[in-house]
């Protein structure tokens, strides 16, 4: 770990963390850049995550999200999720912002996080907005996926849709406002497991840097934020984060 980074972290009082699909990769949840399998093989993930795709073929898109939801329900939080929760329990001013629609951060013990892209476990009626109560069971879906007709709303009979933000839709306003403030007001900003290609979430990294924060990226690969961040810790989040936390803790108590 670079001494200059540790020194910057030693004096950092406010920390903001932006996570992406790479944080859940070690839990077995596929990222959006992974090659898709089975029924989904011929589709790009970004093609399925649009209002137009849902309008055209609701059973295809609902089936894809149910397949992802089943993968999340079977998955367990990994060392990256747990390290982030541990950091927040040790430092008072940590804001966690995620682009992930899974609930693995919550299951690792994080609370109050900002879900910029919605939540897989919170579908709602497309017509009246009423939340739709999912049964807690893991949906039984063949490995290669299948088309599933979306359920209907018990109140108005409208079609239920996944509780996620699709391409072309606005982010939840309150979450976005809080995320911008957290980026502008932090001393250290981490972008973990994100390709940093999807806007406006990725713009938070540059925003934090311009506001004076030290910016750190944790990712095994090159990303669109390579030229933006001060430090790139290259490797898997589940390996780098526990080591970083250990070094950070050592320097705080030394
Ligand atoms: P992506 O799927 O675009 O990128 C995942 C990133 O995680 C890549 O940069 C990988 O190199 C990295 N990665 C893979 N394994 C990792 C590991 N073990 N540790 C750390 N990093 C790892 O995911 P996001 O950037 O989150 O939006 O994608 C942003 C948004 O685009 C998603 O929220 C979704 C998507 O299409 C919507 O659906 C609106």
């Amino acid at each position: 770990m670079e001494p200059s980074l540790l020194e910057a972290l030693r004096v950092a009082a406010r920390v903001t963390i932006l996570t992406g699909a790479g944080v859940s990769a070690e839990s077995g949840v596929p990222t959006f850049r992974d090659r898709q399998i089975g029924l989904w093989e011929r589709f790009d993930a970004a093609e399925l995550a649009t209002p137009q795709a849902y309008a055209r073929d609701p059973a295809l898109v609902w089936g894809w999200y149910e397949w992802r939801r089943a993968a999340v329900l079977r998955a367990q939080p990994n060392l990256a999720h747990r390290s982030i929760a541990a950091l927040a329990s040790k430092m008072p001013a940590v804001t966690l912002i995620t682009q992930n629609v899974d609930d693995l951060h919550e299951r690792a013990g994080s609370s109050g996080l900002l879900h910029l892209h919605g939540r897989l476990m919170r579908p709602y009626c497309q017509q009246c907005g009423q939340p739709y109560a999912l049964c807690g069971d893991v949906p039984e879906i063949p490995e290669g996926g299948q088309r599933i007709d979306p359920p209907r709303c018990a109140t108005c009979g409208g079609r239920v849709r996944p509780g996620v933000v699709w391409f072309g839709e606005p982010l939840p306003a309150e979450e976005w406002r809080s995320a911008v403030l957290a980026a502008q007001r932090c001393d250290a900003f981490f972008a973990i497991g994100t390709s940093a290609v999807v806007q406006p979430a990725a713009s938070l990294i540059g925003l934090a840097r311009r506001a004076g924060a030290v910016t750190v990226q944790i990712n095994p690969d090159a990303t669109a934020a390579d030229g933006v961040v001060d430090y790139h810790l290259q490797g898997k989040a589940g390996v780098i984060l526990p080591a970083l936390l250990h070094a950070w803790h050592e320097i705080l108590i030394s």
Side-chain angles (χ1 to χ4, degrees), residues 20-22 26 31-33 99 117 165 167 193-195 198 219-221 237:
E26 289 162 78
T31 75
F32 292 89
R33 315 298 143 191
Q99 298 166 86
H117 291 166
V165 176
F167 286 101
T194 176
S195 56
V198 173
N219 201 305
D221 295 325

Side-chain angles (χ1 to χ4, degrees), residues 54-219:
Y54 195 53
R56 202 167 40 238
D57 195 343
L60 179 77
V61 174
W62 183 261
W64 187 62
Y65 279 100
E66 281 295 273
W67 179 79
R68 290 190 76 85
R69 189 166 73 86
V72 168
L73 287 170
R74 278 194 300 265
Q76 295 301 325
N78 63 54
L79 278 173
H81 300 107
R82 293 194 198 289
S83 301
I84 291 168
L87 177 69
S89 73
K90 289 194 181 85
M91 292 188 76
V94 175
T95 303
L96 176 57
I97 306 164
T98 189
Q99 298 166 86
N100 296 347
V101 296
D102 65 48
D103 60 356
L104 294 174
H105 280 304
E106 285 92 339
R107 281 158 57 197
S110 288
S111 58
L113 56 152
L114 303 170
H115 274 277
L116 292 185
H117 291 166
R119 298 164 195 236
L120 210 44
M121 307 299 166
R122 302 259 179 102
Y124 61 91
C125 173
Q126 202 169 25
Q127 202 161 283
C128 73
Q130 181 83 7
Y132 175 77
L134 291 162
C135 78
D137 300 342
V138 181
E140 278 187 31
I141 299 173
E143 204 177 302
Q146 69 182 7
R147 302 163 56 89
I148 301 172
D149 281 327
R152 293 278 169 181
C153 172
T155 308
C156 76
R159 186 181 282 143
V160 171
R161 61 160 281 176
V164 305
V165 176
W166 281 324
F167 286 101
E169 293 183 323
L171 302 193
E174 193 53 42
E175 273 88 346
W176 177 245
R177 226 183 338 266
S178 302
V180 167
L181 283 179
Q184 284 170 330
R185 292 180 181 167
C186 66
D187 305 302
F189 185 98
F190 289 85
I192 309 174
T194 176
S195 56
V197 291
V198 173
Q199 298 294 356
S203 70
L204 293 171
I205 308 169
L207 197 61
R209 175 127 198 243
R210 287 192 298 280
V214 62
T215 48
V216 185
Q217 156 170 262
I218 300 177
N219 201 305

